[in-house]
Amino acid sequence: MTDGLTHNMTALEAAGERALPAAEDVAKRFKVLPHPAPASDEAWAKAMEELDFGAAYSDHMARAVWTKGEGWHSKQIVPFGPLTLSPAAAVLHYGQEIFEGMKAYRHDDGSIWTFRPAYNAARFNASAKRMCMPQLEVEDFVGAIAALVKEDAKWVPTPFGSSLYLRPVMFASEAFLGVHAASEYTFLTIATPVGLYFKDGLSPVSIWVADDYHRAGPGGTGAAKTGGNYAGALLPQEKAAEAGFDQVCFLDARENQYLEELGGMNVFVVRSDGSVVTPALTGTILEGSTRSAIIRLLRDRGTPVFEERIRLADLADDIKRGEVTEMFACGTAAVVTPIGRLASTDFDLEIPGTAVTLSVYNQLVGIQNGEEPDPYNWLYRIA
Ligand SMILES: *Cc1c(COP(=O)(O)O)cnc(C)c1O
């Protein structure tokens, strides 16, 4: 039994604490081939005004290629643009692919920072291992981000809460239809400027708990950040949307009883006794950097956080009895979002509270944007 306050670091958290070389040093690993025709001032100004997730991309992207026998090579910053890919490329047939999601933040003094890049680098390699893909040196992963963000610094927006969203991705680019791990992989990082995810403040979302679909099973790929997990979550997501819900929450595949996570966000439950509970990392849940940061922030405030199995039926009872006062979801893109309604085949419940959710949101966004102290050294300076 734990007191909910002591913190034993996970392997990812420990890897994430690793000291990194300065950004200007790792950035040198990527040779810059400048865009001959970057976005016009008008196109750039429009993108920076709209700050719509994925609506516009910065001028460049990072790229590297891995070939069997040779390892990683051709590390470059190149113009953002379409790829040339054989129709036989293995990723198109067997889905050997992993990705990450990160952000670069501009602080008031103009400096640019990112959040726990060594954590994402370690998770990228953990995902790569599960998907039978090559490891990428942490310095290459962070170097790609540093070089890209330095080159496209003007795409990092200024308003509080906005950022340049970074999407590293690796996929099997070998043209071969045999079923085996590919002998060529392409690594890319692209960037899109984004504003506050929820423009009208923290508007609570409604969640449908699916009992007829699962996103991951024991021994499967649930702990890896791989596209197939997302593809499999789309149909239940659409069905939930048709029924009027914003998002789906998945249950464990073995017993179909325990809360796992949303398609792309981890979940937390706030109890009336002041403690907080989040599903334990059972191997089928993605270990979110935001999840880990929130657990740390809460424990250091003296809030006990328990990583447990959460039975859906018990959770519903506790909400009815007022013993659960808040729920929220978290991930890099939206940071923190309150869950205002939770429904499944057997119940449909309102969860009115947002106080803890809001305070966690404010502290985390404050750290990321340089307005709150960062005692954990989570920020890494890029420029
Ligand atoms: C990326 C992701 C999360 C959130 O992870 P962060 O590191 O906090 O962005 C949660 N669940 C799934 C399934 C994810 O893919």
Side-chain angles (χ1 to χ4, degrees), residues 41 63 103 137 177 197 207 260 271 329 338 361 372 379:
D41 287 348
R63 185 184 66 195
K103 285 174 170 174
E137 270 184 45
L177 287 185
Y197 199 83
I207 302 282
E260 296 226 306
R271 303 187 57 90
Y361 174 85
E372 292 272 345
L379 292 181

Side-chain angles (χ1 to χ4, degrees), residues 48 77 82 187 267 277 296 366:
M48 300 310 275
I77 301 298
F187 167 80
V267 292
V277 191
R296 193 69 189 269

Side-chain angles (χ1 to χ4, degrees), residues 13 64 73 96 99 105 146 156 241 244 250 269 296 341 356:
E13 285 171 334
H73 57 86
Q96 212 188 353
F99 65 96
Y105 310 89
V156 183
F250 293 98
V269 174
R296 193 69 189 269
R341 178 182 170 203
V356 174

